[in-house]
Every structure is written in C-alpha cells, then in structure tokens.
Amino acid sequence: MLLSACGSSGLLTTVGPDYQTKPLKAAANWQAPQSGENNLPTAHQGDPANLNRWWQRFNDPVLNRFLAAAQQESASVADARARIEQARANLVGADAALLPSIDSSIGAKRSSSSFGGAPFVWNQLPAGLQSSWEVDLFGGLARQEEAARSQLESRNASWHDARVSVAAEAANAYLAYRYCEGQVQIVQADTASRRESARLSEIAGKAGFRAPGDVALANASAAEGNRTLLQQQAQCERSIKGLVAMTGLQEPEVRKLLTEAPDRVAKLPIPPAFRIDSLPARVLLQRPDVASAERDVAEASANIGVEQAKRFPKLSLSGNITPTLQNINGGAFLLAQTWAIGPTLSLPLFDAGKRAADVEAARVQYQAAESKFRSKVRTAVKEVEEALVRLDSASQRLPEGRKAVTGYRANFLAVQQLYQVGLGNLIDVETSRRNVLSAEMALKELEQEQVSAWIALYRAVGGSWEAHDDARKIGAASSSAPSSGEPEKPDHYLNHQVDFTGGKS
C-alpha cells in the first residue's frame, strides 16, 4: 500500500512523453470588419460570462420551451452523454488498476473416491481470500490513468458542444418559422391589394371605363398573389413539421405554443447583444470543441507511454489464504489452512516487433490528434470571423433596405393614384407593386439574417450553458448516484479547461 502511493508515476520511472500544452497558434487580431459602438458585434474585451443564460434574455418563453425540448430529445446530446459515462467507467478502471485487487470466495464440495476398496465420501467447505497487484514499475498504469482522465475531460467538452449545437439549431428553426410568418403577412397584404385592384378593375371594365386587357391583367395579378400566398403558407407548415421532429412535442402543442401569444406572431426574436474578446486566443478558450480536441491530444500523448511500458518488465504480487473445513465419511470436521504469497516478474523477450509497432502507431495517432486540434482551431477562427462578417454586412444593409421599402411604397402609392384618376396605366401599377413586395421581402430576409448571424456568433464563440456553480459539484456526483432519481449532469468542462498559453487551469 505504501508503494501504491506512487500511483501518479512509475516506481522506477515513467516512460513516454510528459504532455505540455502549447501556446495556441492564432492571429493577434480578428481578420474581420468591426462594427461601431452602436452595433455591438465588434470585438472588445468581452466577458464570456455575458453569454450565461443568453437564451433566457430573449424574453421569449416559446423559444425557451423549444430549446429545452430539443435538448431533451436530441440524439447527439444523448450520445455525448453516453460517451461521458463510458469515459468515466474507463477512468474508474484505470484508477483501480493502480491499487491491489481483493476477491473472496466460498464454496462447498462433496466427492466420493475409491482406490480399489470401499469408497469414502469427502466433504469440503473452503473459504478463500485472494489478492493481486501489479507494481507500476515504469509508469504504464499511471499513463493509462492519465489517458482515461483526458478522455473524460474531452467527452465532457463534447457534451457541451452538442448542447450548444442543438440550441443553435432549435433557435434557427424557431426563427425560420417566425420569419415565414412575417413573409405570410407581407404576402397577405399584397394579395389583398391585388384582389381589391382586380375587383375595382372588373367594375370599371363592366362600365366601359377600363379596357379588357387591363381587367385581365388585374385578375392575373390577383391570381399570382393567391399562388404566392398559398406557397408561403405551405412553407410555414413545413417549418412546423421541422419543429415537431426536432423537439419531440406533439404537433397540437407546437401549434398552440406558436399562436397562444398573438403579440409574438410574425415577430422575430430579438437577440441580446454581446461583445467578444478582441484576442482570438481568449475567445477560442471557451469553445468546447477546441477544448475537446486538445484533451484528445493529451490522451494520445499518454497512450504513447502506455504502449512503451509494455516493452519493459512487469512485476506483480499475488497471494491467497484458503482455510477449508473438511471431513471424510462423516467424521469430525478438520480445518486445513493454506496460504501463498509471492512476486511474479514477466520479461518480454520476443514478439516479432509487435510492441515496437504499437508504440509507433501510438505516436502516429498523437500526430493525427495534433493535426485535428490545429484544424479545429482554424475552423473556430473561420466561424467567428464569418459570423462577424455577416453581422457587419447585415447592420450596413438594413438601413438601406428600409430606405428601399419606403421609396418603393411611396412610388407605388403615387402610381396607383395616377391610375385611379385615369392618368396612368395598370402595367406601371403592377410593376411598382412587385417592387414594393420584393423590397419588403428583402427587408424581412435581412432582419432574419441579422438574428441568425447573432446565433451563429454565439455558436462560434462557444456558446454558454448552465451556471458555472452547477459544474463544481463534480466530486460527489461522479462517485455516487443522485438522490433525486434524475440523471446527474455531466461534468462541466470548464473545471478542467485548458489554458493554451501554458499550463492547466
């Protein structure tokens, strides 16, 4: 047991590389356009804590309900949680390998034997205690524990990444439906205008004040408006089906949630603005997928030591005590005591190069993990900068879009008035009407794009999850079942978040 106190390293030495985090290779500044103070997507010294419970600050109960349901039903979140439990079991097994194992047994046996004469009956009642322990001479078991711990930390981060991804997907699905509702309202107003124009043209045509061609054009315009409206309504129906599939809620409940608050119908959710840190390396620290990839590198590094230790001698101690009560032919029971204890030293002599090949394979896997980590970092930077570009572009285009709608609507009203007093023609009216509809739809699309860009930026900078205090309950939760009967929450990866500027925090 005194020797087992050296479980964090080998008794003689610890083979394999000692993993050290390396400085994160990221640019000194974001290579993306920065918006001004009024628009807020610009990179300042943003605090990641500002993203805590970001969704609740939308003040949209319907959105919150869909987010919670999607988290509960998501197969990717469930799979990530299962991987955490498997990694935790692996860590428990790796910790247990550093300590002696103790087993007990109890049995009863009745046998009969004869050696050419009268048979005799032999009753035996053995009770045994066995123990074995591998002395970690060269640190192979310590490296195995190190790899298992890194794997658990990686799985925790992957779980958070899955949750953030599902939240962004559910929010975008909800946004798509509200955007579709807004489009329906625009098309409904346009269709009503077309119908009224057709009705008035029909009356004027019957009275001989409008040419048959104008009447036909007005009716065609009304039919086109009806077709567009039906098409848009069908798109909204498909959006509802998508929400039902994503959240697992019954369709009547989804429809009720979407319509029970009339003030939210066709209203896009308003994202709370936040700033991001001006230093890319700091932003990347809160990306769970980046943290997961870095922990995979640490696991791969430890696995090199695990494979190297297999090339060295292995020492194990074993012992047993087996007292046995026994009697022959119904005689008095006698106690027979046996015990044994001793070391076993195994020496690898010849394996045709298998162990050396396993070490080389572990090194290659480490290099692959490093390459994947660097790729994750580049992808993270790209996603943040793309979201910044989208936000900047939307913020610049929105004022222009509003001006376009105002101008086209004023032109339409003027052309329509001229037509109504007989000084214009219907073709100009319908052309102007289409311009208004196109401008209004473009403006609604810009508004949707801006909200979607905020969600994309939230996702790109790593998102947020439950309050950090919930995550600090790891110790007791991981060693005992929760008393409430509900599944425990996986460990919060920020408890072992890697500081890529050096060291571990």
Side-chain angles (χ1 to χ4, degrees), residues 244-295:
V244 170
M246 182 175 295
T247 61
L249 301 174
Q250 295 296 319
E251 186 166 327
E253 182 180 358
V254 171
R255 291 182 180 275
K256 181 181 178 182
L257 287 169
L258 291 171
T259 58
E260 64 183 357
D263 59 316
R264 296 192 182 278
V265 173
K267 296 293 192 303
L268 299 181
I270 301 175
F274 61 87
R275 302 186 188 279
I276 65 172
D277 199 294
S278 58
L279 298 179
R282 291 180 182 174
V283 175
L284 298 180
L285 287 175
Q286 70 190 69
R287 288 265 306 208
D289 59 337
V290 173
S292 174
E294 189 277 337
R295 290 289 83 198

Side-chain angles (χ1 to χ4, degrees), residues 381-419:
V381 171
K382 177 186 70 100
E383 290 177 352
V384 172
E385 292 183 343
E386 284 181 345
L388 288 172
V389 169
R390 289 179 61 189
L391 273 175
D392 181 74
S393 176
S395 65
Q396 292 187 47
R397 286 181 290 151
L398 268 171
E400 303 302 322
R402 296 188 180 101
K403 289 179 182 178
V405 169
T406 302
Y408 279 125
R409 180 160 295 282
N411 175 260
F412 169 69
L413 293 176
V415 173
Q416 188 179 47
Q417 288 176 356
L418 287 175
Y419 175 72

